[in-house]
Amino acid sequence: MTIQQLLKTAPITTLLLASFIGLFIMQILTGVDANNPSTEALLNWGANALPYTMQDQPWRLVSSAFLHIGLMHLLFNGFAMYFFGQIAEPMFGSAKFLALFLLAAIGGNLLNNYVTWQDIIAGTGQPGISAGASGGIMGIGAALLIAALFKISVNGMVLNLKSLIFIMGINLVYGFAVPGIDNAGHIGGAITGLIIALAFAIGYRQRLAVALQNAAIQQQRHINPYQTNYSYSTHDNTPYNHQYSDPYNDQHDNQAHYNANSIDQSPHLGANSTEQDTAFNDHDMNTSDMHPDTANSVTDIHSSLDNSAAHNSSIEPKALKKASFIWQLLPWIVMLLISIGFVWWWQDIHQQILQVLKAIE
């Protein structure tokens, strides 16, 4: 994918990559070592460090996500951002994608500082320094993992769950196997991304269900106009007696004429004709000659058929449903709650540090 295509498909990913590279170039131009920058240089450029971040410089929770420790660190995170971003940004939307990255990076840095602080209290650790977009990238990877689990498609393609698990597993194992990797930052970012992606997936499923129901209703609306409506009315059809009795009567008249001419020659045939005339006359009767129950039944049938003519036999489709606005806002609500939680978490660690410093003094 070219830069122009990436900028069109994933503009925030392109801008994040440009900021990583631009900041690194600025470091080099100011004399920072490209492979082994000093601790002082990293602190000057906004690295995360417990004594600074958790006291009066909380902005380092964000700035450290754009700073990288050496060229290889930049290349590794840049490739991961390029790989994940061009998929995740079109899926979640640019605004949600940016918020996801930033919150995952903050979550990773906070967990790193919390673990460091707990180690200091326990006497097993000391303040360190961390930097890099790894926490935010792990959050994006975890979000893609949830998307694959919920079978959320990107341009008609569903992500491969096994491949994402493999990639995330390699990153976590690499972090534990190689010294100096911020494992807490990776885990904190991944957990943050999982929570945000769950909210997005739930809202997506609810909106998809409503969209499928509306598609079925639209299909029903498309079919119904072509349905044929059948109606029946006793006034539109020739009565049975009138339609069929006349031919029979004509036949009866002919037969009578024949019998009149041949009665002397064939008395037996004339007798049969008289019986047939009687039979045909028995057929040529109206409902008043029927049994009362039978006459009422016929009348009810005609009445029901007349009523059916006044009603449309097609089924009116249901009204289109509208997805609740809460499902669209759900990811933003969850991210707001996470942000409030991070503020509270930072305040809690900050107060603990102040109390310890006060006790030491």
Side-chain angles (χ1 to χ4, degrees), residues 115-184:
V115 171
T116 301
W117 174 243
Q118 294 300 317
D119 290 341
I120 292 173
I121 293 176
T124 58
Q126 58 183 359
I129 191 170
S130 64
S134 302
I137 293 171
M138 289 295 288
I140 296 171
L144 290 176
L145 194 65
I146 294 297
L149 186 64
F150 279 77
K151 300 186 183 303
I152 299 175
S153 62
V154 182
N155 297 326
M157 297 182 294
V158 178
L159 299 173
N160 190 311
L161 182 61
K162 292 182 179 179
S163 298
L164 285 169
I165 293 175
F166 180 73
I167 294 172
M168 295 292 290
I170 287 179
N171 279 276
L172 290 174
V173 171
Y174 179 79
F176 283 101
V178 177
I181 302 296
D182 183 10
N183 296 311

Side-chain angles (χ1 to χ4, degrees), residues 236-269:
D236 298 335
N237 297 313
T238 304
Y240 172 81
N241 293 337
H242 179 72
Q243 185 177 355
Y244 293 101
S245 63
D246 289 345
Y248 289 145
N249 289 334
D250 292 342
Q251 183 179 358
H252 169 63
D253 293 340
N254 294 333
Q255 186 67 33
H257 178 74
Y258 172 78
N259 291 341
N261 294 333
S262 61
I263 189 169
D264 297 334
Q265 298 178 9
S266 181
H268 181 70
L269 180 59

Side-chain angles (χ1 to χ4, degrees), residues 31-324:
V32 178
D33 192 303
N35 294 316
N36 296 301
S38 65
T39 300
E40 182 181 1
L42 292 173
L43 287 173
N44 291 335
W45 284 94
N48 175 43
L50 176 67
Y52 298 92
T53 305
M54 304 311 294
Q55 291 199 61
D56 56 355
Q57 298 179 13
W59 51 266
R60 291 179 180 271
L61 294 171
V62 177
S63 64
S64 61
F66 296 84
L67 182 67
H68 291 85
I69 307 174
L71 180 61
M72 293 304 297
H73 190 203
L74 172 65
L75 292 177
F76 185 83
N77 282 344
F79 176 77
M81 174 60 74
Y82 170 81
F83 179 77
F84 285 152
Q86 63 181 304
I87 302 172
E89 186 175 347
M91 177 184 293
F92 300 118
S94 296
K96 292 188 184 74
F97 174 78
L98 178 60
L100 169 64
F101 170 77
L102 294 176
L103 286 175
I106 293 171
N109 285 328
L110 278 173
L111 184 60
N112 171 273
N113 289 326
Y114 175 79
V115 171
T116 301
W117 174 243
Q118 294 300 317
D119 290 341
I120 292 173
I121 293 176
T124 58
Q126 58 183 359
I129 191 170
S130 64
S134 302
I137 293 171
M138 289 295 288
I140 296 171
L144 290 176
L145 194 65
I146 294 297
L149 186 64
F150 279 77
K151 300 186 183 303
I152 299 175
S153 62
V154 182
N155 297 326
M157 297 182 294
V158 178
L159 299 173
N160 190 311
L161 182 61
K162 292 182 179 179
S163 298
L164 285 169
I165 293 175
F166 180 73
I167 294 172
M168 295 292 290
I170 287 179
N171 279 276
L172 290 174
V173 171
Y174 179 79
F176 283 101
V178 177
I181 302 296
D182 183 10
N183 296 311
H186 289 178
I187 296 172
I191 293 174
T192 305
L194 283 173
I195 296 172
I196 295 173
L198 278 173
F200 177 87
I202 292 171
Y204 172 85
R205 278 289 181 90
Q206 294 296 329
R207 295 195 306 271
L208 179 62
V210 173
L212 291 176
Q213 291 177 2
N214 287 337
I217 293 173
Q218 290 283 16
Q219 185 178 11
Q220 185 181 9
R221 287 182 174 181
H222 179 72
I223 293 174
N224 278 341
Y226 300 96
Q227 291 182 345
T228 303
N229 300 326
Y230 297 96
S231 61
Y232 301 89
S233 174
T234 55
H235 301 291
D236 298 335
N237 297 313
T238 304
Y240 172 81
N241 293 337
H242 179 72
Q243 185 177 355
Y244 293 101
S245 63
D246 289 345
Y248 289 145
N249 289 334
D250 292 342
Q251 183 179 358
H252 169 63
D253 293 340
N254 294 333
Q255 186 67 33
H257 178 74
Y258 172 78
N259 291 341
N261 294 333
S262 61
I263 189 169
D264 297 334
Q265 298 178 9
S266 181
H268 181 70
L269 180 59
N272 290 341
S273 297
T274 303
E275 292 175 0
Q276 293 173 3
D277 292 341
T278 304
F280 288 133
N281 287 333
D282 289 341
H283 281 289
D284 190 17
M285 61 186 177
N286 53 39
T287 57
S288 63
D289 299 327
M290 295 181 183
H291 188 277
D293 294 338
T294 306
N296 292 335
S297 177
V298 173
T299 303
D300 292 340
I301 292 173
H302 283 298
S303 178
S304 64
L305 291 175
D306 288 338
N307 291 335
S308 68
H311 293 84
N312 192 335
S313 64
S314 62
I315 301 174
E316 290 295 333
K318 298 179 180 178
L320 293 177
K321 296 184 178 181
K322 187 176 181 180
S324 177

